[in-house]
Amino acid sequence: MMNTINFAGIEGKVLQVSPHGNYQVVELSDRITIVGTYSNKFHWPESTDESSGFTSFITYIGLKQQEFPRFRDWVIVNNGYFEGDDGTPRQSKRVRRFPLEIKVRGLLAESVVELIHGEIG
């Protein structure tokens, strides 16, 4: 049986749990995967989600190359940001159904839900 978790009202599939339980990798949709932490020992920006208990999370958005500008602009409008080269599309590691992904920090749980339901373009 696949382990699931509720994140901001969305049932997500738990893909991986760290050995010490510090973080979980959760697929929320074909395009969106998050890595949530309970301890935040890595000092990620604080964006909490009460339903999952995550004290912080990072969002991974799957995309195809030509979609990048649209998603980059959406991230900026929704107060997300990129650290280092996180905003450069890279080969997907976390988002299994897309060839590329970007790593986004600082989004609120509500913004992630909007992204999932709105699925830009």
Side-chain angles (χ1 to χ4, degrees), residues 17 25 32 58 85 92 97 112 121:
V17 178
V25 179
I32 308 299
I58 292 176
D85 63 356
S92 279
R97 293 183 178 100
V112 174

Side-chain angles (χ1 to χ4, degrees), residues 49-61:
D49 173 56
E50 288 183 23
S51 60
S52 64
F54 292 145
T55 58
S56 191
F57 63 92
I58 292 176
T59 307
Y60 293 82
I61 303 173

Side-chain angles (χ1 to χ4, degrees), residues 77-96:
V77 165
N78 285 278
N79 298 313
Y81 69 95
F82 305 107
E83 196 169 278
D85 63 356
D86 290 346
T88 301
R90 66 178 189 194
Q91 186 172 353
S92 279
K93 295 183 207 174
R94 303 284 189 196
V95 185
R96 302 181 297 183

